[in-house]
Amino acid sequence: MDLGLRGKVACVAAASSGLGKASALELAREGARVAICARHEGRLQQAAEEIARETGGEVLPLVADVTRAEDARRFVQAAVDRWGRLDILVTNAGGPPSGTFEDFDEEAWLQAWNLNFLSTVRLIYAALPHLKQAGSGRIITITSVSAKQVLPNLILSNAVRAGVHGLVKTLAQELGPHNITVNAVCPGPILTERLQSLLQRAVETQGITMEEAQRAWVSQIPLGRLGRPEEFGAVVAFLASERASFVNGALLQVDGGMIRGVM
Ligand code: NAD
């Protein structure tokens, strides 16, 4: 299937590693020109070189922190300055810390809100005029299965990401008339640095081994294994593609069947 991504311009936020990087890689593999951002220059540069080497595509790295409005604007503008248009926005950020209600204070809630909700809002504000100008567009936001089924010890993620799903469903209504689709992709346990650090924390706080910590996740997944970042990236590339032109307002799990709810 030709995804129709050749020549499209995409901004993928928080993409020096993990799911963001895998999404950027897959978009580049399909012929899109891809701008990526993250906070640390060295790793970002390395990711950009890796994607360009592997795909032969054009990759623009820009150091930017998505918790800052000015950085989000600079990131999107850099892609538009380089390529003259924007077709696809993938919003993403690091995950909030794990813990239960009494582990956190109001400041922690504000930080999680800023990192995982407002970052999405500010990237969309930055991208929207350009998507409208292009006459069509794709907004894909990386959330979590935690917004569909709460996960133990992840209260910040559980609560804040549900708000992002409310945003996505509303924007799908508001932006549909502009031929812009808005969808969320909800990862289940996929082996990235983020998951490694959650596993490590479980080892430290619960006195279990790394194998036991992994088994606790895997036992909830019908496919009987953790996901791979490229399996996630492929879904993002599909949603970004011409082939997904009638998919709008979807909150799509990539979780090996972990979520049991019917909605
Ligand atoms: P990761 O930690 O492997 O990668 C996160 C990326 O975001 C890195 O490139 C990092 O440099 C960048 N980043 C972090 N904070 C940033 C900021 N403020 N500004 C710009 N860049 C920033 O994480 P991941 O596994 O790829 O996860 C991506 C998102 O998906 C996270 O929000 C995570 O909580 C969520 N998620 C992941 C899983 C999983 O199993 N991997 C499951 C559910 C949800």
Side-chain angles (χ1 to χ4, degrees):
M1 176 164 59
D2 176 8
L3 292 184
L5 282 166
R6 195 148 298 282
K8 299 277 186 190
V9 174
C11 279
V12 184
S16 65
S17 70
L19 305 179
K21 181 178 163 196
S23 303
L25 179 65
E26 208 54 42
L27 287 166
R29 195 171 273 141
E30 293 298 324
R33 295 168 283 179
V34 182
I36 60 173
C37 82
R39 292 159 303 170
H40 306 297
E41 176 137 36
R43 295 196 65 189
L44 178 69
Q45 196 64 40
Q46 204 181 324
E49 284 165 16
E50 220 177 293
I51 296 169
R53 196 171 48 244
E54 216 169 305
T55 64
E58 288 179 65
V59 185
L60 174 66
L62 192 100
V63 174
D65 181 338
V66 297
T67 64
R68 296 155 175 251
E70 184 45 36
D71 282 22
R73 273 195 294 272
R74 264 195 315 110
F75 172 48
V76 170
Q77 194 57 49
V80 174
D81 288 346
R82 167 70 70 93
W83 292 306
R85 60 182 296 125
L86 181 69
D87 304 288
I88 298 156
L89 170 70
V90 181
T91 76
N92 185 32
S98 57
T100 60
F101 187 72
E102 288 177 303
D103 292 327
F104 299 116
D105 57 12
E106 197 173 320
E107 182 52 33
W109 281 97
L110 286 171
Q111 281 179 19
W113 182 249
N114 190 16
L115 179 65
N116 295 112
F117 185 87
L118 289 179
S119 66
T120 313
V121 168
R122 59 175 68 97
L123 283 161
I124 295 173
Y125 272 128
L128 192 52
H130 305 292
L131 298 176
K132 279 186 174 173
Q133 201 174 342
S136 72
R138 300 276 183 267
I139 297 172
I140 296 153
T141 178
I142 298 179
T143 60
S144 172
V145 287
S146 70
K148 294 209 162 198
Q149 179 172 296
V150 297
L151 297 174
N153 212 35
L154 277 168
I155 192 167
L156 294 175
S157 177
N158 295 344
V160 171
R161 293 188 203 272
V164 181
H165 281 188
L167 176 74
V168 165
K169 293 299 281 188
T170 310
L171 286 179
Q173 308 299 307
E174 293 185 6
L175 302 183
H178 298 277
N179 201 21
I180 296 169
T181 65
V182 189
N183 295 292
V185 191
C186 320
I190 296 179
L191 202 50
T192 63
E193 285 171 32
R194 162 77 175 170
L195 189 64
Q196 292 280 14
S197 72
L198 289 177
L199 290 168
Q200 188 56 41
R201 186 160 152 88
V203 167
E204 285 156 17
T205 57
Q206 296 167 31
I208 54 176
T209 65
M210 186 53 96
E211 289 68 37
E212 286 167 332
Q214 279 213 19
R215 214 173 305 130
W217 283 109
V218 169
S219 66
Q220 302 172 56
I221 303 172
L223 288 181
R225 63 174 176 85
L226 299 174
R228 296 187 289 271
E230 62 270 25
E231 294 177 302
F232 186 88
V235 175
V236 170
F238 170 70
L239 285 175
S241 80
E242 291 293 320
R243 300 290 81 79
S245 46
F246 205 53
V247 183
N248 189 24
L251 311 169
L252 179 61
Q253 302 101 268
V254 180
D255 67 347
M258 177 178 161
I259 296 301
R260 294 170 186 212
V262 291
M263 301 294 278

